[in-house]
């Protein structure tokens, strides 16, 4: 099949189907500044969806009820219902079985959100466990909010109660990520050029400061096994950190402009990074090699042009849970869905002023934020091949170096390493 530039190819592919919208209430005196929705997030178990409505407000909605409303009432859902004011109570009070909407006033502009869930068998790194103010149970669900003033506030999702207020950053907290292993280890990325590691099971004790970025840090992401952390920022920086030793492993070179978002594939074998240089790179994080380039401008810009204002800044990237699809959001008013084995998008959707995107827990829906509101699209769906499922199973437990040492045919090694 002949290759066409993206502008041509996108005319030949299907538009993604809109699932629904969550529109923030507006007032005549509302100014656009401060209403940006910089962050959207799904709870790990798929129970809740959260987004920043703009200014100081975060909205939490039960995701299943949200989907039902879309099906019953069409796509639009104006998110202006009054928050249910709950009595001060513990999470064990039954709120989990009867989830309800929450409207949280964080006290300052919200830049980042992250859900964290606890696993009881994972012990805190703190020895004096009896001194803890909070006892996190098996089904605890927390929401971390990163604010304009450098603070991080931790909330109980089921009650809307403020649990912790973390205050060590000196600038905007641009991104947050919880370790997926249930340890309630939280990492924050800030414009103060640092990443900070917090232990929420130790009452939010700050365990470590990761230094290395020379400019603002825009984003961070844990690998699925929680052993690696990727951080990205201004000055084309992509860093990989060993989270057992809290040391830098390597710096990935290749982007020509600020790198603003990153995410690992579900098996940890791939890393996607989004940059203002009009590209998404898919890396092998274990060896630091670029495996794929997803271009948003044709022909690809020269390094000088890519390093400036080129009208195709990529703002966000997200890996689907099937390990086959990537979503990207760029300044050209388009959301693109890519397959990891194809050069051009497989679906597109229009979105003005998009700022962030993420897949739902089951991968069936993509949520994207824009000016206090959220838009949802159905994602490309297909049954994964048995080959791909086997590859993901192997790569979850085996880094590239171990795969290359297996006594198997070279073509199989290349497939397992996502090189074919």
């Amino acid at each position: 099949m002949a290759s066409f530039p993206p502008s041509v190819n996108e005319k030949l592919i299907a538009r993604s189907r809109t699932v629904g919208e969550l529109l923030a209430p507006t007032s005549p005196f509302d100014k656009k500044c401060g209403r940006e929705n910089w962050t959207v997030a799904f709870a790990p178990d798929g129970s809740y969806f959260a987004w920043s409505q703009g200014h100081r407000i975060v909205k939490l909605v039960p995701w299943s009820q949200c989907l039902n409303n879309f099906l019953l009432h069409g796509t639009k859902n104006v998110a202006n219902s009054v928050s249910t004011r709950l009595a001060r109570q513990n999470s064990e009070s039954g709120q989990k079985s009867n989830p309800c909407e929450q409207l949280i006033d964080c006290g300052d502009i919200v830049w980042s959100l992250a859900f964290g869930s606890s696993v009881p068998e994972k012990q805190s790194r703190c020895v004096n466990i009896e001194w803890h103010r909070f006892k996190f149970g098996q089904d605890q669900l927390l929401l971390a909010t990163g604010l304009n003033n450098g603070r991080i506030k931790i909330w109980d999702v089921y009650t809307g109660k403020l649990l912790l207020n973390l205050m060590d950053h000196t600038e905007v907290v641009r991104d947050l990520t919880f370790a997926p292993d249930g340890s309630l280890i939280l990492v924050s990325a800030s414009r103060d050029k640092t990443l900070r590691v917090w232990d929420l099971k130790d009452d939010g004790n700050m365990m470590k400061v990761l230094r290395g970025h020379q400019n603002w840090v825009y984003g961070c992401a844990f690998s699925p096994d929680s052993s690696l952390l990727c951080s990205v920022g201004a000055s084309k920086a992509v860093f990989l950190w060993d989270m057992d030793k809290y040391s830098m492993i390597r710096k990935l070179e290749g982007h020509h402009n600020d790198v603003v978002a990153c995410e690992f594939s579900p098996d940890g074998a791939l890393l996607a990074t989004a940059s203002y240089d009009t590209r998404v790179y898919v890396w092998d994080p274990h060896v630091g090699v670029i495996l794929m380039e997803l271009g948003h401008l044709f022909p690809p810009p020269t390094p000088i042009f890519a390093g400036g204002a080129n009208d195709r800044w990529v703002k966000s990237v997200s890996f689907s849970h099937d390990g086959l699809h990537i979503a990207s959001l760029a300044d050209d008013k388009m959301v693109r869905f890519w397959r990891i084995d194809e050069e051009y998008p497989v679906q597109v959707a229009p979105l003005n002023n998009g700022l962030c995107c993420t897949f739902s827990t089951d991968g069936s829906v993509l949520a994207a934020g824009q000016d206090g509101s959220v838009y949802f699209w159905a994602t490309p769906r297909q049954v994964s091949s048995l080959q791909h499922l086997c590859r993901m199973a192997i790569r979850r437990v085996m880094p590239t170096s171990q795969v290359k040492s297996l006594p198997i045919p070279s073509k199989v090694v290349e497939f397992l390493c996502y090189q074919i």
Side-chain angles (χ1 to χ4, degrees):
M1 176 179 174
S3 295
F4 297 97
S7 58
V8 175
N9 229 43
E10 285 166 5
K11 296 177 182 177
L12 308 177
I13 60 180
R15 290 287 179 98
S16 181
R17 177 176 59 85
T18 301
V19 174
E21 305 169 358
L22 292 173
L23 307 178
T26 57
S27 303
F29 53 83
D30 260 347
K31 296 181 180 179
K32 181 180 179 182
C33 182
R35 282 189 52 83
E36 292 88 354
N37 176 6
W38 289 104
T39 178
V40 291
F42 288 94
D45 62 358
S47 59
Y48 275 89
F49 174 74
W51 82 101
S52 57
Q53 286 194 344
H55 303 300
R56 315 185 314 184
I57 304 302
V58 169
K59 185 70 178 285
L60 274 162
V61 295
W63 178 236
S64 61
Q65 294 179 20
C66 190
L67 280 178
N68 288 338
N69 287 339
F70 291 154
L71 293 173
L72 289 173
H73 306 297
T75 61
K76 290 190 179 181
N77 185 355
V78 179
N80 60 358
S81 60
V82 178
S83 171
T84 304
R85 300 297 179 188
L86 300 172
R88 295 176 68 88
Q89 54 191 324
N90 294 325
S91 294
E92 290 76 17
S93 61
Q95 291 299 326
K96 298 178 292 296
S97 58
N98 185 28
C100 59
E101 293 185 0
Q102 302 280 0
L103 203 63
I104 297 175
D105 187 340
C106 295
D108 203 348
I109 293 174
V110 180
W111 284 85
S112 50
L113 294 173
F115 281 99
S117 61
S118 59
V119 180
E121 60 268 19
K122 181 74 174 182
Q123 293 301 314
S124 170
R125 303 187 189 201
C126 177
V127 176
N128 299 319
I129 198 81
E130 65 272 11
W131 291 104
H132 287 182
R133 288 180 293 159
F134 302 107
K135 298 279 191 291
F136 293 119
Q138 178 178 4
D139 45 12
Q140 188 78 34
L141 186 59
L142 306 178
L143 181 71
T145 55
L147 307 181
N148 193 69
N149 59 10
R151 295 192 177 190
I152 302 167
K153 293 187 177 181
I154 311 297
W155 310 83
D156 185 317
V157 169
Y158 302 122
T159 66
K161 177 182 176 181
L162 178 64
L163 299 178
L164 294 167
N165 194 356
L166 313 178
M167 298 183 289
D168 282 276
H169 280 298
T170 58
E171 285 281 354
V172 170
V173 180
R174 190 61 186 85
D175 199 16
L176 295 164
T177 182
F178 276 96
D181 60 7
S183 61
L184 290 183
I185 299 298
L186 174 69
V187 175
S188 54
S190 171
R191 286 185 180 175
D192 65 12
K193 307 176 186 177
T194 69
L195 298 126
R196 294 175 190 255
V197 186
W198 316 82
D199 185 355
L200 298 196
K201 287 188 177 179
D202 187 12
D203 289 344
N205 174 51
M206 190 183 71
M207 302 162 57
K208 198 71 177 177
V209 180
L210 304 181
R211 304 183 189 276
H213 288 268
Q214 300 302 308
N215 284 288
W216 291 357
V217 190
Y218 282 119
C220 55
F222 268 103
S223 63
D225 65 359
S226 303
S227 66
L228 299 178
L229 180 83
C230 177
S231 63
V232 297
S235 299
K236 314 167 192 175
V238 179
F239 290 92
L240 282 176
W241 307 85
D242 182 327
M243 293 307 287
D244 291 324
K245 300 176 181 177
Y246 301 115
S247 61
M248 190 196 307
I249 300 173
R250 64 175 55 90
K251 185 177 178 181
L252 305 180
E253 307 277 357
H255 280 297
H256 302 291
N257 205 333
D258 291 1
V259 191
V260 294
C262 59
E263 190 164 68
F264 284 89
S265 62
D267 60 3
L270 304 174
L271 171 68
T273 57
S275 171
Y276 290 168
D277 66 8
T278 75
R279 298 171 174 93
V280 169
Y281 283 151
V282 180
W283 309 76
D284 182 330
H286 301 286
V287 295
V289 173
I290 298 173
L291 298 176
M292 180 179 295
E293 176 183 319
L294 306 179
H296 294 66
L297 184 61
F298 186 87
T302 62
I304 293 177
F305 186 58
N310 49 56
D311 298 325
R312 295 291 191 280
W313 285 4
V314 188
K315 293 292 186 66
S316 185
V317 67
S318 183
F319 242 112
S320 176
H321 298 266
D322 63 7
L324 284 173
H325 294 92
I326 295 172
S328 66
L329 189 155
D331 270 348
D332 60 356
K333 303 179 182 179
M334 298 295 288
V335 177
R336 292 172 174 84
F337 296 93
W338 312 76
R339 272 183 59 99
I340 61 171
D341 55 359
E342 294 190 19
E343 188 177 357
Y344 298 116
V346 293
Q347 283 188 19
V348 296
L351 179 67
N352 291 331
N353 303 318
L355 297 172
C356 58
C357 67
T358 189
F359 281 95
S360 61
T361 306
D362 65 359
S364 64
V365 171
L366 183 80
Q370 169 241 45
D371 294 344
S373 299
V374 191
Y375 299 86
F376 301 91
W377 293 277
T379 60
R381 302 305 299 271
Q382 65 184 84
V383 178
S384 298
S385 68
L386 182 58
Q387 287 177 319
H388 175 67
L389 293 175
C390 291
R391 173 169 59 183
M392 289 185 65
I394 292 171
R395 292 312 308 269
R396 281 191 177 99
V397 298
M398 194 172 288
T400 304
S401 59
Q402 293 182 18
V403 170
K404 289 187 175 181
S405 65
L406 292 174
I408 55 178
S410 59
K411 283 294 182 183
V412 178
V413 171
E414 290 177 10
F415 178 77
L416 292 177
C417 293
Y418 289 89
Q419 292 174 349
I420 56 173

